[in-house]
Amino acid sequence: MTLDIIELDGRKFAPADQLPLPDWACVLNDRPQPVLTLKDDDMFLLTDTFGNIGGSADDGRNSSMGLFCNDTRFLSRLELQIDGRSPILLSSTAEKGFALSVLCTNPRLDEKVSAENIGIKRELVLNGGLFEEIEISNYSTEAVSFELSVSFDADFIDLFEVRGFDRTQRGQLLRQLPDHPIEPSAESEPRFALRVSEGMPVELVLAYLGLDNALLESRIQFLHHQPDCFKGYTAIWQLQLESHETKILSYRLQMLSNGRSVSNVDAPRTLGQAKAAEVMEEHTWQQQVTQIRSDKTTFNRVIERAEQDVYLLRQTFGKGKALSAGVPWFSTLFGRDSIIAASQTLLLDPQIARETLTILAHYQGKVEDEWREEQPGKILHEIRFGEMARCQEIPHTPYYGTVDATPLWLMLYAEYFAWTADYETLDLLWDNAIAAMDWCDRNLKETGYLSYARKSKRGLDNQGWKDSSNCIVNRKGQLALGAITLCEVQGYVYAAKVRLSQIARMKKRIDLADRWEEEARDLKVRFNRDFWMDDQDFCALALDGDGKHVDSITSNPGHCLNLGIFTPERAYSVAERLRAPDMFNGWGIRTLSKSSPAYNPMGYHIGSVWPHDNAMVAIGLRSLGLVDQALELCEGLLDMTRYQAYQRPPELFCGYDRTDDNEPVQYPVACSPQAWATGSIFQLVHMIVNLVPDAPSNYLRIIDPALPESINYLGLQNLRVGSTLLDLEFERSGSSTACRVSKKRGNLRVVIEA
């Protein structure tokens, strides 16, 4: 056969379909399996509990497993076998977040090796690349020989394809031509040994030439105990182990685009170095943030997991780091999600908010672009870096289809300043704040409210936090039509104007301060008139394109409870209604009332429960003085989290009622870890201790702190407010909670109010 040789980067490739790989290794069982998740900056890995990656019954594109970076799957198969068979799993864990370990053993290998005599320990680590060490031990009293294999493949498909987006055209999978092919014998399939200079590791290359002519590669270097041969993309070791002898095999995988590393993280040489680098970086970060601990082990586990997940979700964008929204589907910068998560974690690490504000300001809209729904001053919704984005098949370069990210950015801008008195950042981003407010004002002109309607043919139909296609429904379960005006978005605009007016007054921009204050007062009056449903004594989810109520009972108005846009009486009515049995299921508040015809406890936004949604409601209840109700909601969320793997709150869970003998029901494809679910833990802590920082005025108010019944003591160490570091201790006695400042490094005034 004549091959179509392609020379790239000094090497020879041929189209993959001209060099078919033999189907040698066993196919993984295609039944759904639990997933182990690793994350390191801009890359993440999903495997089954064996540490394997396997496709589904089709070509594997619908499987979410794989090694991903920059929205591209650089490894779609990773399968370890012993004598062509799957090992027996003993245990596995991905508790560290950046590393997973698997312990397994052998099945019976014909007559030569009895079952469960060979120990196989796998360790996989992410740090700018993928590293694996495989430790094989012979625990029998006799020498054994067997074949161990690891099969690799990479389809290089875009994450949007994994999520189900169809493409009419793709680039070309390539296979590097081996330097020294071993001649096939009559008894075997062709085998390839990739030989290099003496002393250098063997390297296996998987490659893809994209539609944009980007050459993507997964280069796999074998470091300890080189494979004896290759069969297709399967590395094979013929192992002989004496009694109680151990051997170690290892490799590292680097992801390249046009010869350069794809990841923002510089990959070290070995797994040990990768592990040490991760441990050191995480330790350094943890020493700089607030340490939160209680007298209860279970609560501490939840906090420790949340701290680690915040660290894992920090992702590099340019010169800064923001929290990516969640693994696997949203492991990138999101306007709304990253902003809310940064706000939730101000108590933990204000640096996250500063970098989030700065990164989003860099991408702030500059022109009118209908394809990307970009407008001057607008804050992005989502940015992607995969082939579909690079080829303009999707508008995420970035995509701006969000109605709430811009006012939320303004709210975070003011919140961050209240915590830090960072005048440098305040001044640096002031022009961005003016541009963001101008965007809001331009879009408020037509109806007096901030609304959305999709403009891009590949954009989102719904552009609030509930952005699935079926979630904006009226009380009959019918979809709302026309431009949608969400209730909580008006609350965000109101809060942004109130908070920015205070900053404008401080900056001697009295004209802006007066105007924004007046506009906020006017918005509050109109909002309470136009959104209130007298017959239900509740706030409408939204107004539709005709200005009519979208009159279903939802969790959305709960976001407004602490923003000041409701009159006091109506705020209390909303608070009471959210806790009715059709909304509160015992673990948390549903997104949609159980009495709605559209209710589905398994629906993404039509009956499920979201931790971040509930944490925002809890903060709102607290602001109204409804302390017991806020603590009840807090306890429900913490109880739910204790049932989760690694005590990690999921993106969402199903809305089924809590009973005496059930557990919270998992949502099948929830992201985990997920930024604002993780952030909700710190928002609940903030609600409990009720801190009101005012760093520009150099004081901190602690108003009526109240620990839940499950906690007797809570300590916050290294809490940063302005330039002062504080250690605070809270102790519950009966129904009251006392607070004391145990250490203070700075001159901040702390006022504790009962």
Side-chain angles (χ1 to χ4, degrees):
M1 179 177 67
T2 302
L3 299 179
D4 298 328
I5 303 299
I6 301 171
E7 292 200 19
L8 294 165
D9 194 26
R11 290 166 293 153
K12 293 181 179 180
F13 295 85
D17 56 5
Q18 293 187 17
L19 285 175
L21 290 175
D23 184 16
W24 176 75
C26 295
V27 177
L28 282 176
N29 192 320
D30 63 358
R31 64 182 174 81
Q33 300 184 59
V35 174
L36 301 177
T37 302
L38 302 186
K39 175 81 162 61
D40 174 51
D41 203 286
D42 52 5
M43 58 189 300
F44 65 90
L45 173 71
L46 276 72
T47 76
D48 65 15
T49 50
F50 287 82
N52 288 332
I53 302 166
S56 61
D58 56 16
D59 65 359
R61 292 189 190 182
N62 293 328
S63 168
S64 63
M65 291 187 189
L67 174 67
F68 294 84
C69 188
N70 274 2
D71 305 310
T72 303
R73 181 156 61 188
F74 281 85
L75 196 62
S76 54
R77 186 185 186 196
L78 173 64
E79 183 180 4
L80 181 146
Q81 294 192 330
I82 181 167
D83 266 8
R85 300 173 61 186
S86 294
I88 299 168
L89 180 66
L90 300 176
S91 67
S92 61
T93 180
E95 188 165 359
K96 291 180 180 177
F98 62 84
L100 67 83
S101 60
V102 179
L103 191 62
C104 49
T105 188
N106 65 296
R108 181 176 178 83
L109 306 179
D110 299 325
E111 300 300 322
K112 57 183 180 179
V113 183
S114 299
E116 300 171 7
N117 274 326
I118 300 169
I120 305 172
K121 181 180 179 182
R122 306 181 70 180
E123 187 169 23
L124 287 87
V125 174
L126 293 185
N127 182 242
L130 173 64
F131 299 80
E132 180 173 12
E133 280 190 359
I134 306 167
E135 183 181 288
I136 306 115
S137 301
N138 174 18
Y139 293 109
S140 70
T141 57
E142 299 179 352
V144 296
S145 61
F146 53 88
E147 186 174 87
L148 193 90
S149 65
V150 179
S151 299
F152 304 90
D153 207 349
D155 54 16
F156 297 98
I157 70 171
D158 193 286
L159 185 68
F160 276 71
E161 290 184 87
V162 180
R163 290 170 57 184
F165 280 60
D166 292 327
R167 297 186 72 189
T168 58
Q169 191 177 3
R170 295 190 78 245
Q172 194 170 39
L173 286 170
L174 304 175
R175 294 192 177 129
Q176 186 174 2
L177 298 177
D179 296 330
H180 302 282
I182 297 176
E183 292 298 325
S185 66
E187 295 82 20
S188 67
E189 296 284 351
R191 291 175 179 245
F192 299 101
L194 305 185
R195 299 171 184 166
V196 295
S197 302
E198 186 175 352
M200 296 293 291
V202 171
E203 185 175 85
L204 183 64
V205 179
L206 299 86
Y208 171 78
L209 185 62
L211 294 177
D212 58 344
N213 288 320
L215 174 62
L216 304 182
E217 297 176 80
S218 294
R219 291 187 187 176
I220 303 161
Q221 289 184 326
F222 297 89
L223 304 176
H224 291 99
H225 202 92
Q226 305 292 304
D228 293 292
C229 64
F230 290 86
K231 196 170 187 179
Y233 286 148
T234 297
I236 301 169
W237 292 265
Q238 303 293 345
L239 296 178
Q240 294 182 340
L241 294 177
E242 297 298 324
S243 175
H244 287 267
E245 182 183 5
T246 294
K247 288 186 177 179
I248 294 177
L249 320 176
S250 70
Y251 65 85
R252 73 168 181 171
L253 184 150
Q254 291 179 287
M255 301 162 293
L256 304 175
S257 176
N258 295 329
R260 301 183 63 179
S261 175
V262 174
S263 175
N264 288 307
V265 179
D266 294 329
R269 176 72 178 160
T270 67
L271 181 143
Q273 293 169 345
K275 206 170 169 183
E278 284 289 342
V279 170
M280 181 178 295
E281 183 183 346
E282 183 176 0
H283 177 75
T284 300
W285 177 79
Q286 287 183 330
Q287 294 305 303
Q288 297 169 352
V289 303
T290 305
Q291 280 86 53
I292 305 167
R293 295 295 182 268
S294 76
D295 62 325
K296 301 298 183 182
T297 301
T298 52
F299 180 80
N300 290 342
R301 286 176 183 161
V302 171
I303 290 292
E304 288 166 7
R305 169 56 53 189
E307 290 171 351
Q308 186 179 60
D309 284 348
V310 168
Y311 166 77
L312 292 173
L313 289 165
R314 292 160 65 247
Q315 186 164 330
T316 301
F317 300 95
K319 296 181 180 179
K321 289 190 176 185
L323 297 182
S324 57
V327 180
W329 307 121
F330 307 118
S331 188
T332 189
L333 178 68
F334 271 71
R336 175 193 313 115
D337 300 56
S338 299
I339 292 167
I340 289 177
S343 172
Q344 293 170 322
T345 54
L346 278 164
L347 174 142
L348 176 74
D349 182 12
Q351 179 77 1
I352 294 172
R354 187 184 71 81
E355 295 194 22
T356 300
L357 289 165
T358 303
I359 292 167
L360 290 171
H362 171 75
Y363 288 108
Q364 189 171 27
K366 296 174 179 63
V367 299
E368 295 281 346
D369 183 343
E370 192 169 282
W371 166 243
R372 299 192 302 162
E373 304 205 41
E374 179 182 3
Q375 295 172 337
K378 195 175 185 183
I379 299 299
L380 66 78
H381 170 62
E382 175 182 2
I383 190 168
R384 293 291 181 172
F385 303 97
E387 184 182 19
M388 291 181 68
R390 297 194 306 271
C391 293
Q392 297 294 310
E393 297 174 42
I394 54 174
H396 298 63
T397 58
Y399 173 59
Y400 290 83
T402 170
V403 71
D404 51 11
T406 307
L408 283 168
W409 186 94
L410 290 166
M411 289 171 60
L412 181 63
Y413 176 74
E415 276 185 287
Y416 170 74
F417 183 65
W419 272 93
T420 64
D422 181 353
Y423 287 91
E424 181 181 354
T425 299
L426 187 81
D427 293 341
L428 181 67
L429 300 179
W430 177 245
D431 288 344
N432 300 96
I434 295 294
M437 191 67 83
D438 286 347
W439 178 83
C440 293
D441 289 341
R442 287 195 305 274
N443 288 272
L444 285 164
K445 282 182 180 178
E446 185 173 347
T447 64
Y449 296 117
L450 203 54
S451 306
Y452 67 83
R454 179 170 68 94
K455 294 181 174 65
S456 175
K457 63 181 180 180
R458 294 300 296 265
L460 293 170
D461 288 327
N462 286 317
Q463 298 184 2
W465 86 261
K466 293 178 180 176
D467 57 5
S468 52
S469 60
N470 65 343
C471 61
I472 308 301
V473 296
N474 61 22
R475 73 170 75 183
K476 297 180 180 179
Q478 301 165 329
L479 289 174
L481 302 176
I484 301 299
T485 305
L486 293 169
C487 64
E488 75 273 17
V489 174
Q490 316 319 310
Y492 303 155
V493 173
Y494 174 82
K497 287 187 177 292
V498 169
R499 296 173 188 182
L500 264 292
S501 68
Q502 297 166 356
I503 293 175
R505 199 168 298 282
M506 182 198 70
K507 293 177 75 68
K508 309 301 182 185
R509 288 298 308 271
I510 308 303
D511 56 329
L512 293 177
D514 289 345
R515 175 160 66 87
W516 289 338
E517 285 178 356
E518 182 180 352
E519 290 170 348
R521 286 193 295 268
D522 175 65
L523 176 59
K524 180 171 182 174
V525 171
R526 290 185 290 106
F527 177 83
N528 281 275
R529 179 192 68 206
D530 296 342
F531 277 80
W532 197 254
M533 303 183 294
D534 290 325
D535 60 333
Q536 301 198 58
D537 201 25
F538 195 70
C539 178
L541 162 63
L543 305 179
D544 65 15
D546 295 325
K548 296 179 180 178
H549 287 157
V550 182
D551 53 358
S552 53
I553 304 297
T554 67
S555 61
N556 296 55
H559 291 212
C560 298
L561 291 178
N562 73 319
L563 301 181
I565 194 170
F566 282 125
T567 62
E569 314 81 52
R570 290 181 172 176
Y572 285 111
S573 293
V574 168
E576 182 179 359
R577 184 68 182 83
L578 288 174
R579 296 179 60 258
D582 63 318
M583 290 297 290
F584 183 60
N585 76 342
W587 306 107
I589 293 168
R590 299 180 175 97
T591 45
L592 179 67
S593 166
K594 193 176 180 181
S595 63
S596 170
Y599 169 74
N600 179 352
M602 300 168 286
Y604 195 58
H605 292 125
I606 51 172
S608 59
V609 179
W610 290 62
H612 92 279
D613 190 28
N614 279 262
M616 294 174 83
V617 172
I619 286 284
L621 294 172
R622 186 63 144 94
S623 71
L624 299 175
L626 301 174
V627 179
D628 291 342
Q629 294 87 332
L631 291 177
E632 180 187 27
L633 189 52
C634 173
E635 291 274 37
L637 292 172
L638 291 176
D639 288 346
M640 177 277 300
T641 302
R642 294 182 186 111
Y643 280 102
Q644 307 303 312
Y646 311 123
Q647 289 74 55
R648 170 184 283 158
E651 175 187 17
L652 71 157
F653 57 98
C654 293
Y656 293 102
D657 286 319
R658 180 179 185 174
T659 64
D660 291 337
D661 58 355
N662 76 343
E663 297 180 3
V665 179
Q666 304 290 323
Y667 184 80
V669 291
C671 287
S672 181
Q674 202 256 4
W676 62 18
T678 297
S680 68
I681 300 299
F682 300 103
Q683 195 164 23
L684 291 174
V685 171
H686 191 178
M687 181 274 295
I688 289 168
V689 298
N690 207 23
L691 307 181
V692 182
D694 187 354
S697 299
N698 198 41
Y699 77 91
L700 169 70
R701 297 169 65 201
I702 305 173
I703 305 174
D704 191 22
L707 296 181
E709 290 186 0
S710 59
I711 301 172
N712 297 314
Y713 170 86
L714 183 67
L716 275 61
Q717 294 183 337
N718 208 38
L719 173 71
R720 184 176 296 275
V721 180
S723 59
T724 297
L725 291 175
L726 291 170
D727 291 355
L728 302 176
E729 294 184 342
F730 300 86
E731 194 160 3
R732 186 172 63 85
S733 176
S735 60
S736 63
T737 297
C739 171
R740 72 184 183 94
V741 180
S742 57
K743 192 173 183 180
K744 184 171 71 168
R745 288 138 287 174
N747 62 355
L748 185 78
R749 292 180 295 123
V750 180
V751 179
I752 302 171
E753 303 176 19

